[in-house]
Amino acid sequence: MTLTDDDRRYLQVAIDEARQGLAEGGIPIGAALVADGRVLGAGHNRRVQMGSAIRHGETDALERAGRHPAAVYRRATMYTTLSPCHMCTGAILLYGIGRVVIGEHRTFLGAEDLLAQHGVEVIVADDPACTSMMEAFIAANPELWNEDIGEE
């Protein structure tokens, strides 16, 4: 499936968030929740900055979006620079978000199959900027990366 111009624009919002997280000394993963042509919330991984166990890019975007009726989430798309982990996949499924656009899944393959099994439309952009940002981060910070994904 090809990306629309809107998909590219909103994925760029997620990429900008990832870069902001990196500049803050955190893990460069960003996300944006979009519905009806409007960014409801954009965020980035803040585990390091907040000392949080759960503040991934997608959960930060959801937190920043605030409360919405279920119908809004069903119309929404989650844009994320990296394949969503099981925790973030669970949040996407909980709120009934029907579409996810993923920047890349070469450096980490999350629970895309679980999303698809639950009827979520999953689109992988295979964006080189997302891949190169994560490759460079993982190479420079393997311990922090392993902590983020629950590896030893």
Side-chain angles (χ1 to χ4, degrees):
M1 179 141 320
T2 59
L3 296 180
T4 67
D5 289 341
D6 283 343
D7 287 335
R8 286 183 188 84
R9 180 166 33 113
Y10 296 128
L11 182 58
Q12 188 60 53
V13 172
I15 293 169
D16 292 344
E17 284 286 335
R19 289 181 176 141
Q20 181 179 343
L22 183 62
E24 294 170 357
I27 300 163
I29 302 168
L33 182 66
V34 177
D36 304 322
R38 185 171 70 98
V39 176
L40 302 177
H44 52 274
N45 186 306
R46 294 174 191 262
R47 291 188 68 248
V48 172
Q49 300 92 314
M50 296 179 77
S52 171
I54 62 169
R55 209 38 106 69
H56 284 193
E58 298 90 341
T59 56
D60 192 47
L62 282 165
E63 178 68 19
R64 291 169 146 218
R67 295 173 51 202
H68 293 279
V72 173
Y73 292 112
R74 284 193 298 272
R75 292 192 305 268
T77 298
M78 178 67 78
Y79 293 86
T80 180
T81 58
L82 186 64
S83 184
C85 71
H86 279 80
M87 179 179 67
C88 294
T89 292
I92 290 164
L93 294 175
L94 175 68
Y95 288 100
I97 297 166
R99 187 169 182 263
V100 177
V101 175
I102 299 167
E104 68 101 354
H105 63 187
R106 292 174 187 258
T107 60
F108 177 79
L109 180 59
E112 295 172 27
D113 58 341
L114 185 58
L115 289 169
Q117 288 170 10
H118 286 270
V120 176
E121 180 183 5
V122 177
I123 299 168
V124 179
D126 201 20
D127 184 272
C130 293
T131 304
S132 63
M133 185 169 26
M134 282 309 300
E135 286 175 343
F137 178 81
I138 292 167
N141 303 279
E143 297 86 13
L144 182 55
W145 172 242
N146 285 336
E147 176 190 326
D148 194 62
I149 60 172
E151 299 284 327
E152 292 295 322

